[in-house]
Amino acid sequence: MKNHRTEVGIALAMLSGLYGASALAQNTPEPVEGHLIAAKNAAGFDFTGTLARLCIAPPMVTAVRDAAPGPAPARDTWFTEPAKVFDNLYFVGSKIHNAWALTTTEGIIVIDTLFTYNSEEEIIGGLKKLGLDPAAVKYVIISHAHGDHVGGAKLMQDRFGSHIVMGAPDWDSIEKSVNGYPQGKPKRDIVADDGQKITLGDTAVTMVTTPGHTPGTLSMLFTVKDNGKPIQVAYSGGTAFNFPSTVPNFETYIKSQSKMAAAAAGANATILMSNHTEFDSAIPKIKMLALRKPGEPHTFDIGKEAVARYFTVTGECAQAARVKLMQTGK
Ligand SMILES: [Zn+2]
């Protein structure tokens, strides 16, 4: 994370290089280059982290890994304070990963749970610091079963009896995993379907299945309130290309980006959230909230058009990767 700004700088420089080259080539860019330019234009200054991760030398992956979690990194690399962000939405994530508490009239819905090593301090500790009761967490929705989001699911299930919601293929991957859960696996609980609503009191979170990053990746739609004003959120559940690099896998991913773009537009979402702070700039947006003056828009409220551009970035970077794979025959 220390070199994040430098990386983004290099990424943008590389993309402007490409743009310059294509302009010289009379607007007939190579297909890969055309997708990269479309992604860069859509990213603007809103999604530089997403652009840098997906469009600049994404990894070649040969197989799904079932690695054991590594040792916990130093606390100062991940710890950050929790924060109230909307009337009914609280940040309980780390510097790198988002976790959210959505409060309702009947308890709390938590979205994503970080790693096993930091979920207790950030989520349970964070809720307490914010004056919220962790025992009131009735549902925990996991966007996908990678160690940086599912790490606290077992803890919430065991300690508070929270219901865990996940896509079927990701429940399967947990069951099949040999090395991934040395401290125990969450027990299979609620299997999310496309369009299903997880309802608690006055609040509902709508599931949108978006396979690609993992086969069971869940994206979501829900409403937050900003001083009483309802605002719609599109939560993108899986982003990076660390799935096996095959043309069909990229096609699945691309379809899901279009599907979620349409769902976000249909819901009039003007906020884009992700499960990595790198992709939705959650940390600076939370910091900038302190500078917000009365009447100014909320720092997370970027508008419908910007939300649409996010899915253009992810879709076009995936198109570039797909075309490259087709060209190289890999
Ligand atoms: Zn992941």
Side-chain angles (χ1 to χ4, degrees):
M1 285 305 284
K2 273 180 198 152
N3 294 323
H4 182 67
R5 289 212 166 271
T6 329
E7 279 168 21
V8 170
I10 293 167
L12 292 174
M14 285 172 70
L15 282 166
S16 10
L18 287 170
Y19 186 80
S22 79
L24 288 173
Q26 301 292 324
N27 300 324
T28 50
E30 288 288 301
V32 170
E33 202 181 301
H35 290 303
L36 293 176
I37 291 164
K40 181 203 160 200
N41 290 341
F45 287 104
D46 293 304
F47 305 116
T48 50
T50 308
L51 180 73
R53 175 75 86 90
L54 299 190
C55 265
I56 309 302
M60 276 298 298
V61 180
T62 49
V64 176
R65 292 171 71 234
D66 182 28
R75 183 176 178 276
D76 66 357
T77 62
W78 53 263
F79 180 79
T80 191
E81 291 292 342
K84 180 169 187 173
V85 177
F86 287 95
D87 304 358
N88 61 335
L89 191 73
Y90 298 77
F91 176 81
V92 287
S94 72
K95 281 179 185 163
I96 302 159
H97 296 93
N98 289 316
W100 294 97
L102 183 62
T103 55
T104 82
T105 51
E106 301 285 333
I108 300 170
I109 300 171
V110 162
I111 300 172
D112 283 321
T113 60
L114 316 177
F115 285 103
T116 303
Y117 63 76
N118 62 0
S119 48
E120 170 128 29
E121 180 168 9
E122 295 280 28
I123 298 176
I124 298 178
L127 289 170
K128 286 182 186 162
K129 277 185 189 172
L130 293 162
L132 299 168
D133 178 9
V137 176
K138 305 295 182 209
Y139 292 103
V140 173
I141 304 170
I142 304 292
S143 60
H144 66 272
H146 281 162
D148 49 350
H149 311 295
V150 74
K154 178 179 162 53
L155 172 69
M156 298 304 291
Q157 189 174 55
D158 288 353
R159 197 172 298 175
F160 305 114
S162 313
H163 283 294
I164 312 296
V165 182
M166 225 180 309
D170 283 30
W171 277 120
D172 295 345
S173 78
I174 291 175
E175 276 161 23
K176 278 188 220 135
S177 172
V178 175
N179 305 315
Y181 299 84
Q183 298 180 52
K185 301 174 179 183
K187 287 187 295 286
R188 185 183 280 255
D189 192 358
I190 297 174
V191 178
D193 283 327
D194 193 37
Q196 183 178 349
K197 286 183 195 303
I198 298 295
T199 303
L200 186 62
D202 60 349
T203 302
V205 179
T206 303
M207 303 294 124
V208 183
T209 52
T210 50
H213 179 72
T214 65
T217 294
L218 295 176
S219 294
M220 293 156 228
L221 299 166
F222 55 91
T223 306
V224 291
K225 288 193 183 123
D226 178 33
N227 297 318
K229 179 188 155 196
I231 309 180
Q232 308 308 318
V233 178
Y235 187 97
S236 175
T239 311
F241 297 162
N242 50 340
F243 46 83
S245 310
T246 67
V247 170
N249 281 351
F250 275 104
E251 283 168 353
T252 301
Y253 181 102
I254 291 160
K255 248 188 234 162
S256 290
Q257 302 317 299
S258 308
K259 178 182 179 182
M260 190 55 192
N268 281 314
T270 58
I271 293 175
L272 184 285
M273 285 180 169
S274 159
N275 45 19
H276 285 245
T277 60
E278 172 191 7
F279 300 138
D280 64 3
S281 308
I283 299 289
K285 281 177 181 165
I286 290 168
K287 283 188 181 153
M288 287 190 298
L289 265 183
L291 304 174
R292 184 186 184 197
K293 300 207 171 66
E296 283 182 355
H298 193 285
T299 54
F300 277 77
D301 189 4
I302 57 176
K304 210 175 161 178
E305 176 268 345
V307 171
R309 285 193 285 106
Y310 175 85
F311 295 103
T312 303
V313 176
T314 54
E316 290 290 340
C317 290
Q319 288 282 13
R322 174 183 151 273
V323 173
K324 219 178 204 170
L325 274 174
M326 289 168 75
Q327 287 173 350
T328 57
K330 279 179 194 160

